[in-house]
Amino acid sequence: MTHSPLAPRSSLFAKYFLALFAAVVLPLLVASGSEAWFGHRDQRARLNDLLNAEARSAAAKIQDFIDGIRDQLAWTVQLPWSDGADDRRRLDAFRLLRQVPAVVSLAFVDASGRERLFVSRIGLNRIEGGAENSLNAALTGLRPGSAGYGPVTFHAGSEPFMTIAVTGNRAAVGIVIAEVNLKLIWDVISAIKVGRTGEAFVLDQPGRLVAHPDISLVLRADKAVTLPLQGLRADILARNGQAVAGRDTTGQTVLAAMAQIPGVDWSVVVKQPAAEAFRPIYAALWRTAALLVGGAAFAAALAYWLTQRMMGPIRLLEDGVARIGAGQFDYRISLATGDEFERLATRFNEMAGDLAVSQERSERIGRLKRFLAPQVAELVDQSGDASVLDGRCMEVVVVFGDLRGFTAFSARAQPETVMSVLSDYYDALDKVVIEHGATLTNFSGDGMMVLLNAPVACSDPALRAIHMAHEMQLSVQSLLRDRSALGHRLGFSVGLAMGPAIVGRIGKEGRLDYTAIGNVVNLASRLCASARDTEILTDMVVAHAVEGQVPLVEQDMRILKGFDQPIQVFSAVNNEISLKQLS
Amino acid sequence: MTKRDIIAFVGVAAASTISARAQQRAMPVIGYLGSESPEPYTSRISAFLQGLKESGFTQGHNVAIDFQWAEGKYDRLPALAKYIASRQVAVIVAPGGAEVALAARSATSTIPIVFEMGGDPIALGLVESLSRPGGNLTGVTSLSVEVSHKRLEFLSEFIPTTKTFAVAVNPTSPTSSSQLRNLRTAASDLGLQLHVLNASSEPEIDSMFVAVSQMRMGGLVFTSDPYFAYRSQRLAALAIRHGVPAITQAQDFPIAGGLMSYGGDFQQSHRHTGIYAGRVITGERPSDLPVQRVTKLELFVNLKAANALGIAVPASLLSSADVVIE
């Protein structure tokens, strides 16, 4: 089982996600923010221009109203006065009253300041009334050919009136003084629309409301009511004619701009509910915000997708590596991303393959080492041909070794002592076997079997076997000599024979033995059994093979169990052991 | 609680929710106090409805109007006004003269009243000032009462050869004395003689015309009075029959064959009354709505009537006239 590694302190997912998200959102935020800010500023400026234009247009309309009256008055003062009643002028006056509804009454004053004619809609007409009219405010400072405007007055404290005086281009034609009902500006002011619900109003110089779409506000002539409107005008003046935000009489927040009417010194103010005026700005801001949110959502989705695309393969690789690390060499990481990840996965898969091969080899070596000398095992392995272990008939030298008196010893001695003796015995023999490149095929109790010339062929196996047997005797005898001090009577005998045998692996998978089968094995075993302590017995084949190279002593023919004929036996002379025996 | 109690309780609860819902749905009601019958008021009512519409109200759609008519019997006005006030209407509209406005005012001091009349509402004690009416009344005044002397002036201009004119006065009218005073001053300014004739009923009107034609006076000047205004048809017929040059406040008179009229534009005044009624329904207080004065005064001249009377129309009148009926 793969065990998951410790969770990392900060995940790659979070890093990549944040980085990708920020990469999209930050520029978007900056772009939108600046766009919104500049947009807002430009819109504000545009709104200012728009409102100012509306104010100028409204002022022009009010101006037209006044100028219209002035122009109408102008043509009634063209002819000089005669001494008698001026019937023609009277008709002109009647016509003017009919044409200009705002004019309530007309007074004609001659050059000497005497009222010559007075016509009115309400009062009685007067001819040659003679009243002195030079005190009228509209007349002060009036030059020939010009018009003068009196202050706004509120009749009965309610209706706004104003006098307009127009002089002829010569002093002799005198002056016409008209009383104008300013209520009639309502027709003009109520027709002015700023945007959808915006409107205009007119303040005179002292700040009284002269005209407003809601006529009742004008007729109330209440300074307290018009205070917010005066406030708007003051704000605009304070800001050099820029449009300002403020509150109107109903407490609604409005945006207001202003234009002056020079002759009468009135201010025409246009106002538009701020909510309406700023609607395009707010709409733009909302659009920007929506774009930002949408962009952020898109960025998050993109970042999530990209990061997932990155994390998926990384996790797969991590898991795969963990499995391979745990020895699952047949595990393959399957990634088809077509990028570096896929290449990395391929590399990992190759590595897993290599590891599998390597492990298989080391396992095989381990197996071989069980019954082959390490060098032999390596050799077999390097040759890469395990077929050397297959069963075949070979000329081999079989060497048997056996502890004498072991059965009696094991019956008497403590099991620990037996195990200790056996362990030392095996170690000693194993070393010798390895040194001589022989193959230890079998240990069983105190006996052992060693093969030479199989599975790997070696030169002069018989001689080699005799040298090995001598070494065995030396090391075992020295071991036993140490042991004999402890009162154990043990000996060691060796028998060897040479001849053809079937050698190879025997057994099934997991419990394989390499061994030899044949007459030569029996012969070697019987020779070993027949040998006394310290003795090394060989058959004739070995003796012939080593003739002249090692000293051998021919023994009497021996009857060996399982053999019909007596066998010629030779004893390998071992001077050292003999000497030791003697000593 | 017995079973019967529970049933009764449930019934009451159901009834109260129903009535509450009915009240929610109920349209505001305008109590309309008329001095005459609907017929002579027709054009005025349509102007009133027009104004109401400008304030966002349409009869039968989002406002109901409860019309009450005095049928020319002005002494019935106070009782009708009280009846309207008892109906708990949203606003009382009192058009057509000082009598109606005064009757409405005497009926309630809480329900808003919008009047339409000629004359000075301050002098009549209806409001404290034009700009700040103060109480529960506001409305529209025409200039008809103020211009009574202008009618005398126009008629004398028409018939410059005569220095004696008859004046028709309805003594029951609240504004009659002020108009008469106004006329007498004007007469002395113009160097004219006045002969005052009272008429407050149909037989008196008949006998008045007989008197004028018998006394061979220059003409008959009518003071501003709704009683006369709503009888323009009859006045015109009598003027034609008796060959009397006459001038009234109402344009209906020359249209019906009379000689002249000079007075405030009642279309305008009734329209403004409608606008104010609507504004009051939407919650504005009458004390915040200044009394409006009609700006428009109209001179109607019927040339046919002048020809029938054998009078040449002077150029000054033709150029002054807003409407010349040929």
Side-chain angles (χ1 to χ4, degrees):
Chain A
M1 225 6 255
T2 62
H3 74 96
S4 51
L6 286 171
R9 272 185 299 113
S10 62
S11 97
L12 198 61
F13 181 86
K15 280 183 201 161
Y16 270 90
F17 182 82
L18 281 178
L20 287 169
F21 183 70
V24 180
V25 168
L26 281 182
L28 194 67
L29 198 69
V30 170
S32 307
S34 56
E35 175 73 14
W37 191 78
F38 285 115
H40 184 268
R41 214 186 50 173
D42 294 351
Q43 282 272 25
R44 230 0 252 266
R46 203 172 307 144
L47 204 58
N48 185 55
D49 295 346
L50 202 74
L51 274 175
N52 274 323
E54 293 277 9
R56 282 195 298 275
S57 146
K61 284 173 187 161
I62 306 290
Q63 176 105 54
D64 283 352
F65 173 83
I66 298 166
D67 288 352
I69 296 172
R70 188 199 63 196
D71 295 346
Q72 290 284 340
L73 293 175
W75 62 256
T76 62
V77 278
Q78 285 171 342
L79 297 172
W81 289 94
S82 55
D83 286 342
D86 202 329
D87 214 37
R88 191 190 153 78
R89 206 178 291 253
R90 196 162 143 265
L91 285 179
D92 282 351
F94 286 142
R95 274 158 61 199
L96 191 140
L97 280 189
R98 213 188 62 190
Q99 283 186 1
V100 191
V103 174
V104 177
S105 69
L106 282 171
F108 292 89
V109 177
D110 68 11
S112 64
R114 200 162 59 93
E115 183 196 282
R116 301 291 296 270
L117 176 63
F118 176 83
V119 287
S120 168
R121 291 180 194 279
I122 297 162
L124 290 181
N125 302 339
R126 292 191 296 266
I127 300 170
E128 304 294 339
E132 198 69 32
N133 220 329
S134 56
L135 290 176
N136 196 303
L139 295 173
T140 50
L142 219 52
R143 296 186 318 278
S146 71
Y149 306 93
V152 177
T153 55
F154 289 83
H155 278 201
S158 177
E159 288 193 328
F161 280 78
M162 181 178 72
T163 49
I164 301 178
V166 177
T167 63
N169 46 11
R170 290 183 295 139
V173 296
I175 305 170
V176 61
I177 301 164
E179 194 175 17
V180 178
N181 187 347
L182 297 177
K183 243 168 88 179
L184 278 91
I185 302 181
W186 185 85
D187 289 332
V188 180
I189 204 91
S190 63
I192 296 169
K193 279 276 168 278
V194 181
R196 210 162 46 79
T197 60
E199 53 195 20
F201 60 89
V202 180
L203 292 174
D204 72 352
Q205 212 279 324
R208 292 173 302 184
L209 198 56
V210 175
H212 192 281
D214 180 0
I215 190 76
S216 66
L217 272 182
V218 178
L219 296 180
R220 224 183 279 179
D222 188 343
K223 276 222 153 191
V225 174
T226 57
L227 225 50
L229 303 181
Q230 291 175 39
L232 280 177
R233 181 171 73 167
D235 287 352
I236 295 166
L237 285 172
R239 292 197 50 195
N240 289 326
Q242 292 283 305
V244 298
R247 290 184 184 279
D248 69 359
T249 50
T250 58
Q252 192 182 29
T253 304
V254 294
L255 213 63
M258 187 182 80
Q260 291 288 134
I261 301 179
V264 287
D265 210 4
W266 290 352
S267 313
V268 179
V269 182
V270 294
K271 64 187 173 80
Q272 193 181 13
E276 185 189 310
F278 287 123
R279 191 166 297 145
I281 300 179
Y282 292 148
L285 286 179
W286 273 115
R287 272 199 302 277
T288 305
L291 197 72
L292 199 61
V293 170
F298 178 71
L302 194 72
Y304 184 80
W305 179 71
L306 278 174
T307 313
Q308 278 297 91
R309 255 186 79 91
M310 186 95 71
M311 294 315 295
I314 289 177
R315 294 236 169 84
L316 269 177
L317 282 168
E318 187 187 0
D319 181 54
V321 170
R323 280 165 186 270
I324 291 165
Q328 254 181 288
F329 298 123
D330 58 340
Y331 184 78
R332 289 293 173 270
I333 302 166
S334 75
L335 267 180
T337 52
D339 52 18
E340 283 81 351
F341 280 121
E342 189 177 334
R343 225 157 61 202
L344 186 61
T346 310
R347 289 265 183 278
F348 268 113
N349 289 339
E350 285 168 10
M351 187 185 79
D354 291 347
L355 281 174
V357 169
S358 160
Q359 198 216 24
E360 200 186 330
R361 183 167 166 253
S362 84
E363 271 176 7
R364 200 167 60 225
I365 291 171
R367 262 202 317 274
L368 288 171
K369 274 179 179 170
R370 283 221 318 257
F371 38 76
L372 295 180
Q375 311 91 299
V376 179
E378 287 289 343
L379 195 78
V380 171
D381 186 63
Q382 269 163 26
S383 74
D385 187 7
S387 63
V388 290
L389 301 178
D390 291 346
R392 73 184 83 169
C393 187
M394 289 186 83
E395 180 86 2
V396 293
V397 179
V398 181
V399 182
F400 271 88
D402 194 21
L403 277 179
R404 296 275 142 198
F406 182 75
T407 313
F409 161 71
S410 59
R412 280 199 319 274
Q414 293 292 319
E416 293 81 17
T417 317
V418 177
M419 289 308 288
S420 160
V421 168
L422 274 179
S423 179
D424 291 347
Y425 167 68
Y426 287 147
D427 281 349
L429 285 181
D430 200 36
K431 224 161 89 189
V432 177
V433 169
I434 287 167
E435 270 172 21
H436 287 83
T439 303
L440 178 70
T441 64
N442 202 4
F443 274 120
S444 74
D446 54 337
M448 56 158 295
M449 175 180 151
V450 176
L451 281 179
L452 277 121
N453 205 33
V456 184
C458 64
S459 61
D460 217 351
L463 185 65
R464 201 181 272 250
I466 286 179
H467 285 315
M468 185 179 75
H470 280 305
E471 288 286 314
M472 281 175 169
Q473 276 296 4
L474 275 175
S475 52
V476 173
Q477 287 305 334
S478 101
L479 191 75
L480 294 180
R481 207 165 40 245
D482 299 341
R483 293 282 169 184
S484 65
L486 299 167
H488 304 307
R489 284 205 51 78
L490 284 167
F492 181 62
S493 62
V494 177
L496 62 156
M498 186 170 169
I502 304 294
V503 292
R505 283 176 293 197
I506 289 177
K508 59 177 173 47
E509 190 68 40
R511 185 77 190 98
L512 271 176
D513 278 330
Y514 187 81
T515 191
I517 296 164
N519 201 37
V520 66
V521 178
N522 292 334
L523 182 57
S525 171
R526 293 295 172 222
L527 285 171
C528 178
S530 162
R532 294 190 306 276
D533 182 27
T534 74
E535 210 173 29
I536 299 164
L537 294 181
T538 76
D539 70 338
M540 201 167 58
V541 185
V542 171
H544 283 307
V546 299
E547 195 168 18
Q549 292 176 78
V550 283
L552 291 172
V553 179
E554 187 168 0
Q555 307 263 318
D556 297 334
M557 301 284 274
R558 291 189 193 187
I559 305 291
L560 297 176
K561 192 181 171 187
F563 290 90
D564 300 338
Q565 299 294 317
I567 303 294
Q568 182 74 54
V569 177
F570 296 85
S571 166
V573 177
N574 192 323
N575 296 327
E576 282 174 68
I577 290 171
S578 303
L579 286 170
K580 281 167 195 167
Q581 286 294 107
L582 292 172
S583 62
Chain B
M1 239 187 197
T2 65
K3 193 177 174 186
R4 197 185 295 163
D5 286 340
I6 291 169
I7 289 168
F9 174 76
V10 169
V12 167
S16 67
T17 52
I18 287 166
S19 73
R21 216 176 292 156
Q23 264 177 0
Q24 266 182 357
R25 258 183 320 178
M27 287 186 278
V29 178
I30 296 172
Y32 192 98
L33 185 59
S35 55
E36 301 288 336
S37 51
E39 204 186 323
Y41 264 77
T42 309
S43 54
R44 289 158 176 83
I45 288 173
S46 68
F48 170 75
L49 293 178
Q50 159 86 36
L52 209 53
K53 203 170 192 169
E54 285 175 38
S55 287
F57 290 95
T58 309
Q59 185 189 5
H61 177 68
N62 55 357
V63 71
I65 305 178
D66 182 1
F67 289 100
Q68 295 296 329
W69 301 106
E71 307 287 351
K73 301 183 174 64
Y74 288 7
D75 51 355
R76 282 168 59 182
L77 283 170
L80 286 176
K82 280 201 171 60
Y83 170 74
I84 291 174
S86 72
R87 300 284 301 271
Q88 289 301 317
V89 293
V91 57
I92 298 174
V93 171
E99 297 92 337
V100 188
L102 288 167
R105 193 201 53 177
S106 65
T108 176
S109 61
T110 51
I111 300 171
I113 298 166
V114 179
F115 56 77
E116 186 277 338
M117 57 177 271
D120 183 357
I122 303 169
L124 290 166
L126 292 170
V127 294
E128 289 167 18
S129 76
L130 296 181
S131 58
R132 282 271 165 194
N136 60 324
L137 282 88
T138 188
V140 185
T141 74
S142 75
L143 294 163
S144 299
V145 168
E146 280 90 332
V147 296
S148 289
H149 59 184
K150 284 297 275 188
R151 282 194 282 277
L152 178 63
E153 188 182 61
F154 281 125
L155 199 59
S156 75
E157 178 121 16
F158 218 110
I159 311 154
T161 52
T162 316
K163 290 292 171 194
T164 309
F165 290 90
V167 175
V169 174
N170 176 4
T172 63
S173 169
T175 59
S176 60
S177 57
S178 70
Q179 290 192 70
L180 205 53
R181 208 166 40 241
N182 198 349
L183 276 165
R184 286 193 201 281
T185 314
S188 76
D189 284 354
L190 296 166
L192 301 174
Q193 298 286 315
L194 286 189
H195 196 89
V196 178
L197 297 170
N198 286 336
S200 55
S201 65
E202 311 238 335
E204 281 181 323
I205 291 173
D206 289 352
S207 54
M208 181 173 67
F209 273 96
V210 174
V212 172
S213 71
Q214 281 176 356
M215 290 193 291
R216 303 192 176 278
M217 273 179 280
L220 179 58
V221 175
F222 278 87
T223 55
S224 281
D225 192 77
Y227 188 79
F228 295 143
Y230 291 121
R231 282 160 184 76
S232 295
Q233 298 269 349
R234 182 166 174 74
L235 296 186
L238 286 168
I240 292 165
R241 192 197 305 161
H242 295 286
V244 173
I247 180 165
T248 74
Q249 76 181 90
Q251 64 188 57
D252 299 348
F253 178 71
I255 289 170
L259 183 61
M260 276 201 294
S261 74
Y262 188 64
D265 179 6
F266 67 78
Q267 304 267 9
Q268 195 188 26
S269 64
H270 282 264
R271 190 165 66 84
H272 283 307
T273 307
I275 293 172
Y276 263 17
R279 287 179 68 167
V280 167
I281 292 171
T282 53
E284 289 191 60
R285 290 176 305 172
S287 56
D288 288 340
L289 295 172
V291 174
Q292 285 203 49
R293 293 210 305 175
V294 166
T295 51
K296 203 168 167 192
L297 287 160
E298 289 178 312
L299 175 65
F300 276 64
V301 176
N302 189 332
L303 278 183
K304 229 164 74 182
N307 287 338
L309 291 165
I311 311 164
V313 183
S316 62
L317 275 180
L318 282 179
S319 58
S320 294
D322 295 276
V323 179
V324 176
I325 300 161
E326 294 192 62

